[in-house]
Amino acid sequence: MNDRFGFAFDFDLDELAPADAASEEAVERFWSGDLTALSQHHTTPNGSHSFVVAHDQSATWGVPGAAQVMAIAVARDLTRFTYTLETSHHATVSFAQAWLVERGCPPEKIAKIHDGVMEPTDDLTVWVERQIRESGTRYEVLDSHTSDSDPCETWTLTHDSSAAQAPIRVFHEEWDNAASTYMMREGAFADVGAARAWLDDRSGPLPEPPEYSDHNGAVVRARIARIALARSAGASATPKASLDATRTPPVGPVQRPVQGRLL
């Protein structure tokens, strides 16, 4: 695995055998040389489990729009000398983290992204990402797309099983490569057709979820305020934004080479 961030990861499977056919197939097609680790967690003391979020450079040269973030889960049975290995591609880091959390990774252990990667623009972005990361099976991913040219963005189309209204949710991420930041916003639609129509024409702002403005809006704002407090304690230089920032157009992206998408 690419050690750009001084963060090399060795799967350490040499003395182990795959526990099933799926793991054998996964390791045969796996090529860590295309990966740059963004975040990882290993259990102690025996290292029985490993969880990794990585940028997959090979995806940038494949099918246009393909997801570029890979989640990797390794479980080692050190008594039977076997392992299982699972991988999954996602459009955004937060959905990759959610996939790993579903497989037993503590969310706080995989949340920290290594220094040198793009930073979130504001506190609302941090809150939306945390909501995804800790969502469990709440969001069913229906489709996604990644663009490395203007506009530099990803979107993930989902069904929100917890939504009382407008259950089709679009998570739209846009990057400001000049500032090395990104913005994530959540949009809500009554059905998939309406969501795809917005993605196709972008004729208006991303419709915000009803819960942002109903009686739950105060809860959302309180959570974002706590994030702002925690970030300010760390002397973050990035600007803060309230929930009202959902209505503010993001900074226009600047086109740059593919490798700049996350790194």
Side-chain angles (χ1 to χ4, degrees), residues 216-252:
N216 289 321
V219 176
V220 173
R221 288 181 172 85
R223 291 174 178 171
I224 295 172
R226 287 197 293 271
I227 288 172
L229 182 62
R231 277 160 60 85
S232 63
S236 172
T238 56
K240 303 296 185 290
S242 70
L243 188 60
D244 294 333
T246 57
R247 302 179 180 88
T248 303
V251 177

Side-chain angles (χ1 to χ4, degrees), residues 91-107:
T92 67
V93 167
S94 49
F95 275 100
Q97 292 167 331
W99 186 86
L100 292 173
V101 170
E102 277 295 288
R103 281 151 184 79
C105 183

Side-chain angles (χ1 to χ4, degrees), residues 17-28 75 82-86:
D20 49 41
S23 296
E24 183 175 14
E25 181 181 353
V27 79
E28 285 177 353
T82 61
Y83 68 86
T84 60
L85 188 150
E86 297 179 272

Side-chain angles (χ1 to χ4, degrees), residues 121-122 172 174 183 185 204-206 244-253:
T121 300
D122 52 27
H172 180 241
E174 190 164 7
M183 178 182 291
R185 293 292 185 262
L206 185 64
D244 294 333
T246 57
R247 302 179 180 88
T248 303
V251 177

Side-chain angles (χ1 to χ4, degrees), residues 3 62 198:
D3 189 25
W198 183 88

Side-chain angles (χ1 to χ4, degrees), residues 2-262:
N2 191 319
D3 189 25
R4 174 174 173 179
F5 298 119
F7 202 76
F9 175 70
D10 183 356
F11 285 102
D12 193 23
L13 303 177
D14 291 343
E15 304 299 323
L16 306 178
D20 49 41
S23 296
E24 183 175 14
E25 181 181 353
V27 79
E28 285 177 353
R29 68 172 183 263
F30 191 85
W31 173 244
S32 62
D34 289 329
L35 303 178
T36 298
L38 304 176
S39 181
Q40 59 183 312
H41 170 63
H42 310 286
T43 58
T44 56
N46 297 320
S48 58
H49 291 77
S50 293
F51 305 96
V52 179
V53 177
H55 178 242
D56 182 2
Q57 183 176 336
S58 68
T60 67
W61 312 114
V63 177
Q68 298 179 13
V69 180
M70 179 185 280
I72 308 157
V74 179
R76 305 173 188 84
D77 186 334
L78 303 179
T79 60
R80 298 183 179 181
F81 297 96
T82 61
Y83 68 86
T84 60
L85 188 150
E86 297 179 272
T87 65
S88 181
H89 276 86
H90 304 268
T92 67
V93 167
S94 49
F95 275 100
Q97 292 167 331
W99 186 86
L100 292 173
V101 170
E102 277 295 288
R103 281 151 184 79
C105 183
E108 70 277 6
K109 297 295 186 180
I110 203 67
K112 174 62 177 175
I113 301 301
H114 201 278
D115 293 340
V117 183
M118 281 191 170
E119 296 285 343
T121 300
D122 52 27
D123 301 314
L124 180 55
T125 295
V126 176
W127 181 79
V128 172
E129 289 188 305
R130 179 181 296 178
Q131 178 176 282
I132 296 169
R133 184 167 56 246
E134 300 177 5
S135 62
T137 59
R138 174 177 174 177
Y139 299 112
E140 177 191 1
V141 175
L142 306 177
D143 198 5
S144 68
H145 185 85
T146 299
S147 171
D148 282 307
S149 58
D150 193 8
C152 295
E153 64 174 15
T154 73
W155 53 258
T156 303
L157 178 66
T158 72
H159 177 267
D160 182 356
S161 61
S162 296
Q165 304 176 59
I168 302 303
R169 300 297 168 96
V170 170
F171 293 92
H172 180 241
E173 180 184 76
E174 190 164 7
W175 322 311
D176 179 356
N177 289 314
S180 197
T181 60
Y182 65 92
M183 178 182 291
M184 173 80 83
R185 293 292 185 262
E186 177 184 5
F189 299 87
D191 53 54
V192 172
R196 290 196 181 279
W198 183 88
L199 289 167
D200 288 342
D201 60 41
R202 311 293 177 94
S203 58
L206 185 64
E208 65 183 23
E211 59 267 25
Y212 280 24
S213 56
D214 68 10
H215 65 281
N216 289 321
V219 176
V220 173
R221 288 181 172 85
R223 291 174 178 171
I224 295 172
R226 287 197 293 271
I227 288 172
L229 182 62
R231 277 160 60 85
S232 63
S236 172
T238 56
K240 303 296 185 290
S242 70
L243 188 60
D244 294 333
T246 57
R247 302 179 180 88
T248 303
V251 177
V254 177
Q255 187 171 349
R256 66 181 292 175
V258 164
Q259 285 92 333
R261 175 255 180 273
L262 281 172

